[in-house]
Amino acid sequence: MTQATQLQTKSAATFRALKCKECGEEYELKAMHVCEFCFGPLEVAYDYDALRRTVTRETIQAGPHSIWRYRPFLPVETNQPIDVGTGLTPLVRANRLARRLGLKNLYIKNDAVNMPTLSFKDRVVSVALTRARELGFSTVSCASTGNLANSTAAIAAHAGLDCCVFIPADLEAGKVMGTLIYSPTVMAVQGNYDQVNRLCSEVANTHGWGFVNINLRPYYSEGSKTLGYEVAEQLGWELPDHIVAPLASGSLFTKIYKGFREFVDVGLVADKSVRFSGAQADGCSPIAQAYREGRDFVTPVKPSTIAKSLAIGNPADGVYAIDIARKTNGNIESVNDAEIIAGIKLLAETEGIFTETAGGTTVAVLQKLVEAGKIDPDETTVVYITGNGLKTQEAVQGYVGEPLTIEPKLDSFERALERSRTLERLEWQQALV
Ligand SMILES: [Zn+2]
């Protein structure tokens, strides 16, 4: 590459180091994720003075219709990131769900329709693969509970990178097909996610691949900050009062928080204390358990829940999520599988949004918090829906009824309609008893 083209494609980098979250030690911006002194996780540090000088609401709004409008806040050097239209998903005012729950100002951040693979993971992967390319990786990889494999395979295909992903062998069919279609190498590991993750750490050491959520994790996780930026921008450059988000590793939760804080720090929004509440499934709730018991450490569990995308038994950012929930006067709750299915149906029936089990978990926890008086009806509350229900159809099979099969004749239709109305009346009467 000539110097001139380098000048064209490189911009003034606003990220300056990798910094240990525990001891503060700083490192060069390479592919590493653990502090060599204290084994704490590394995080990207920025030059906020430079951001304050150069970024305004107007420069952001003049940017692309994707997460890359926030590029100065993301850890990449290039002006030409991998942009597959990821981000700027709808922030929907959820009036019918709000009325059902007794709330007044409820919004859904709908990443069930994020591009290209219908989950929030497209945000983190767009950032990770752009950075992987800058660091010279030609093969990218991940340890995934499903959505991340979809996203890594799809965006690697778009970018022309070789891809090998690792998933637990018992994943939902939609998530396996949603990966295979892009023709990566798919390793279905006979074990749970935590075992997949341990295997991948070994492969990362021996094969020199770019694992988006292992050696590229500090860059990757920054992509989740865009879920904070977008909500602030879509609320008219204001922060909400309360957010409810799912907890798997806990990373998403901490990065929404970081996104809000950065927008305050550089003067893009007014300061406000935002309450952070997290959602887990009973069958994998190490963070909720620690929170409930007032602990500062998370005890790993063996997951058993239909919410497979949240089934991380040893969550890397669990303690940081607990810290944020406590200091913002939020909460961390968990719900059982029946409540998760009810949550999926409630969101679909009131708002027309079909979410996967993680979203059902989040909606069910929202409901539980409202019933316990832990959400003020007047608060502007944003619920993060992070994935699409078409990928986890197994979870709701048997709970959504059947179509009415009829002959192609008007009288057959009329009879069926009458039957279904009678059935509805009966159900309604039973509900009243
Ligand atoms: Zn350290």
Side-chain angles (χ1 to χ4, degrees):
M1 201 185 273
T2 67
Q3 212 173 7
T5 46
Q6 248 175 16
L7 282 176
Q8 241 173 28
T9 56
K10 270 197 171 184
S11 58
T14 43
F15 63 122
R16 51 171 196 81
L18 294 179
K19 188 174 180 180
C20 175
K21 272 183 97 159
E22 291 297 326
C23 74
E25 182 72 23
E26 293 197 354
Y27 297 88
E28 270 177 66
L29 291 157
K30 43 186 195 185
M32 64 185 290
H33 68 299
V34 179
C35 177
E36 286 166 3
F37 291 91
C38 76
F39 303 106
L42 302 184
E43 187 173 43
V44 178
Y46 295 82
D47 178 354
Y48 289 112
D49 287 332
L51 285 166
R52 233 170 263 128
R53 281 195 306 273
T54 52
V55 181
T56 64
R57 293 176 181 178
E58 290 71 28
T59 61
I60 289 171
Q61 283 167 329
H65 195 83
S66 72
I67 58 166
W68 295 110
R69 68 208 276 112
Y70 311 108
R71 197 192 50 77
F73 293 93
L74 297 172
V76 303
E77 292 163 39
T78 178
N79 273 331
Q80 283 149 354
I82 303 168
D83 190 350
V84 285
T86 299
L88 279 202
T89 52
L91 181 71
V92 182
R93 176 121 200 181
N95 286 332
R96 294 194 69 236
L97 178 58
R99 265 203 302 279
R100 187 77 77 88
L101 298 176
L103 298 177
K104 291 181 190 146
N105 298 303
L106 180 65
Y107 292 82
I108 302 290
K109 179 59 172 168
N110 186 12
D111 260 20
V113 293
N114 197 22
M115 286 289 122
T117 68
L118 312 179
S119 89
F120 89 98
K121 293 291 185 185
D122 293 326
R123 299 172 182 274
V124 281
V125 172
S126 291
V127 174
L129 297 198
T130 298
R131 187 63 185 153
R133 211 166 55 176
E134 287 179 346
L135 292 172
F137 289 102
S138 55
T139 301
V140 291
S141 188
C142 67
S144 172
T145 58
N147 280 322
L148 181 58
N150 295 169
S151 191
T152 303
I155 299 176
H158 177 88
L161 293 161
D162 289 332
C163 180
C164 176
V165 299
F166 296 74
I167 54 175
D170 70 342
L171 278 193
E172 300 95 340
K175 285 189 176 160
V176 178
M177 180 56 71
T179 301
L180 286 171
I181 191 67
Y182 306 107
S183 291
T185 305
V186 181
M187 298 287 172
V189 181
Q190 289 167 325
N192 62 33
Y193 173 79
D194 299 289
Q195 293 171 305
V196 174
N197 197 36
R198 270 198 297 280
L199 170 64
C200 286
S201 296
E202 292 175 43
V203 179
N205 287 333
T206 52
H207 279 254
W209 293 349
F211 276 80
V212 298
N213 56 341
I214 301 179
N215 51 352
L216 295 169
R217 189 174 182 84
Y219 307 101
Y220 154 94
S221 57
E222 291 289 288
S224 290
K225 295 190 304 184
T226 58
L227 271 171
Y229 304 148
E230 286 178 21
V231 162
E233 185 180 346
Q234 288 170 319
L235 286 174
W237 301 100
E238 267 190 44
L239 300 183
D241 297 311
H242 202 150
I243 70 107
V244 185
L247 295 170
S249 74
S251 171
L252 167 69
F253 200 70
T254 65
K255 294 299 176 172
I256 295 170
Y257 180 82
K258 188 178 180 187
F260 286 163
R261 292 317 310 168
E262 287 180 335
F263 262 26
V264 171
D265 288 347
V266 304
L268 288 166
V269 297
D271 199 359
K272 186 181 195 181
S273 59
V274 183
R275 299 172 68 197
F276 273 67
S277 290
Q280 291 211 294
D282 283 346
C284 182
S285 54
I287 306 176
Q289 284 169 23
Y291 182 83
R292 245 176 251 138
E293 291 163 16
R295 282 189 269 120
D296 288 323
F297 60 94
V298 173
T299 309
V301 300
K302 202 165 174 215
S304 172
T305 169
I306 57 166
K308 293 178 197 261
S309 59
L310 302 180
I312 296 181
N314 189 10
D317 291 294
V319 288
Y320 302 113
I322 290 170
D323 179 53
I324 288 170
R326 281 196 188 125
K327 73 185 177 197
T328 64
N329 193 25
N331 277 285
I332 297 177
E333 259 301 348
S334 64
V335 287
N336 64 35
D337 285 356
E339 291 170 312
I340 293 170
I341 293 165
I344 295 174
K345 290 185 71 174
L346 178 62
L347 183 65
E349 289 165 6
T350 53
E351 296 299 333
I353 293 170
F354 183 14
T355 182
E356 62 157 42
T357 45
T361 305
T362 312
V363 171
V365 163
L366 168 74
Q367 186 167 15
K368 201 165 179 175
L369 292 175
V370 172
E371 284 165 2
K374 289 173 176 170
I375 292 183
D376 181 333
D378 290 314
E379 283 182 317
T380 299
T381 301
V382 174
V383 175
Y384 284 90
I385 295 301
T386 50
N388 193 297
L390 288 171
K391 295 192 198 181
T392 61
Q393 295 181 40
E394 293 92 333
V396 290
Q397 230 144 36
Y399 297 95
V400 290
E402 295 285 333
L404 302 172
T405 306
I406 59 171
E407 292 163 48
K409 290 176 186 158
L410 188 59
D411 66 329
S412 179
F413 157 72
E414 295 291 0
R415 277 198 309 273
L417 189 62
E418 186 51 41
R419 270 202 310 277
S420 82
R421 283 181 175 160
T422 309
L423 209 65
E424 240 172 66
R425 264 198 306 277
L426 282 173
E427 276 170 13
W428 192 67
Q429 282 164 356
Q430 272 170 357
L432 286 180
V433 177

